[in-house]
């Protein structure tokens, strides 16, 4: 089928796994599994923002460099970054050296702190936008959804930057707010079981 990739183990995966060797472990172990850890959610949001206009492979290959440069995306630490940190990051060849995206990450860390005070956690806020199961379209047939549009608007209203509906949808796909694995993908059932056992944050 055009929408699947047969991995070396002989089992079907989502078609995009065939794009690069590093995609397969990311797909099998991370993509789509539900996450309620604020630091991981913030990291993913930042990396999706940095990806804007680039390929996910570029970001995935630089992820450890990003983690080192941004204190593993501890938003309490990133919120304290100043112009000296911006200059340091602009000289760091291991990441994407884009002033606007760097400054957005710092701004969003400050907004994340505010959101935790207001809502209890990032996870509790993001998971409110989980789409209803009967509202889902066929896997990987959309790049935005009504829920991702709503999440993007809610974050922008709170002062977040570089978070459009497409970025919000990619976050929702990756962090398990929906199971967007293709119907023939061997990982789909594992993700579905993880979602069934997952305790939604409140």
């Amino acid at each position: 089928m055009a929408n699947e990739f047969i991995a070396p183990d002989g089992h079907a995966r989502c078609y995009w796994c065939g794009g690069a060797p590093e995609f397969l472990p990311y797909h099998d172990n991370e993509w789509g599994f539900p996450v309620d850890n604020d630091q991981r959610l913030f990291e993913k949001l930042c990396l999706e923002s940095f990806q804007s206009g680039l390929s996910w492979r570029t970001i995935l290959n630089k992820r450890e460099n990003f983690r080192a440069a941004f204190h593993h995306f501890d938003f309490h630490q990133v919120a304290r970054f100043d112009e000296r940190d911006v200059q340091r990051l602009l000289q760091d060849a291991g990441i994407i050296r884009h002033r606007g995206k760097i400054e957005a990450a710092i701004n969003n860390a400050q907004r994340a702190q505010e959101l935790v005070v207001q809502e209890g956690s990032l996870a509790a806020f993001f998971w409110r936008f989980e789409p209803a199961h009967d509202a889902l379209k066929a896997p990987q047939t959309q790049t935005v959804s009504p829920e991702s549009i709503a999440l993007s608007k809610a974050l922008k209203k709170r002062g977040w930057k570089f978070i459009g509906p497409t970025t919000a949808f990619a976050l929702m796909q990756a962090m398990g707010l929906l199971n967007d694995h293709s119907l023939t993908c061997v990982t789909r059932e594992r993700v579905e079981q993880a979602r069934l056992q997952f305790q939604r944050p409140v």
Side-chain angles (χ1 to χ4, degrees):
M1 294 178 63
N3 66 340
E4 68 180 27
F5 164 73
I6 304 302
D9 63 6
H11 294 291
R13 304 296 203 287
C14 297
Y15 74 94
W16 55 265
C17 287
E22 56 269 35
F23 286 170
L24 190 58
Y26 172 71
H27 167 277
D28 283 1
N29 301 312
E30 294 185 57
W31 195 76
F33 288 90
V35 172
D36 62 0
N37 178 278
D38 279 3
Q39 197 161 320
R40 282 191 61 197
L41 289 164
F42 181 72
E43 172 185 293
K44 183 61 176 174
L45 208 51
C46 286
L47 293 179
E48 289 292 347
S49 298
F50 273 100
Q51 185 198 342
S52 180
L54 303 168
S55 73
W56 176 243
R57 185 181 189 183
T58 298
I59 302 301
L60 190 59
N61 285 332
K62 292 178 177 287
R63 184 164 63 167
E64 290 306 320
N65 297 331
F66 272 107
R67 286 171 171 169
F70 284 89
H71 296 286
H72 291 269
F73 292 96
D74 178 341
F75 52 86
H76 298 295
Q77 294 196 52
V78 177
R80 295 197 293 268
F81 281 13
D82 57 19
E83 180 59 29
R84 288 172 298 179
D85 292 293
V86 173
Q87 291 301 321
R88 168 180 62 82
L89 294 166
L90 286 170
Q91 300 302 315
D92 188 340
I95 67 168
I96 304 301
R97 293 178 287 182
H98 183 291
R99 176 180 279 274
K101 294 177 181 180
I102 291 169
E103 291 178 343
I106 299 169
N107 169 78
N108 291 348
Q110 296 164 352
R111 305 292 79 78
Q113 287 184 313
E114 295 168 356
L115 193 60
V116 168
V117 171
Q118 295 161 358
E119 307 292 343
S121 69
L122 300 185
F125 181 78
F126 289 153
W127 276 91
R128 289 178 200 157
F129 296 87
E130 178 184 9
H133 182 75
D134 58 5
L136 297 175
K137 294 186 178 180
Q140 297 175 46
T141 59
Q142 61 190 122
T143 56
V144 297
S145 69
E147 295 82 11
S148 78
I149 293 169
L151 175 56
S152 172
K153 284 182 178 178
L155 290 173
K156 286 180 178 178
K157 186 177 180 180
R158 288 166 170 78
W160 294 61
K161 297 179 179 177
F162 270 93
I163 309 296
T166 302
T167 296
F169 189 74
L171 170 85
M172 295 168 77
Q173 284 176 303
M175 300 285 99
L177 277 78
L178 67 154
N179 185 353
D180 217 28
H181 283 271
S182 62
L183 298 179
T184 57
C185 175
V186 71
T187 308
R188 182 178 177 85
E189 181 59 28
R190 290 177 52 224
V191 166
E192 199 59 37
Q193 288 302 314
R195 282 176 43 78
L196 285 171
Q197 296 167 14
F198 181 68
Q199 295 293 317
R200 271 63 175 169
V202 293

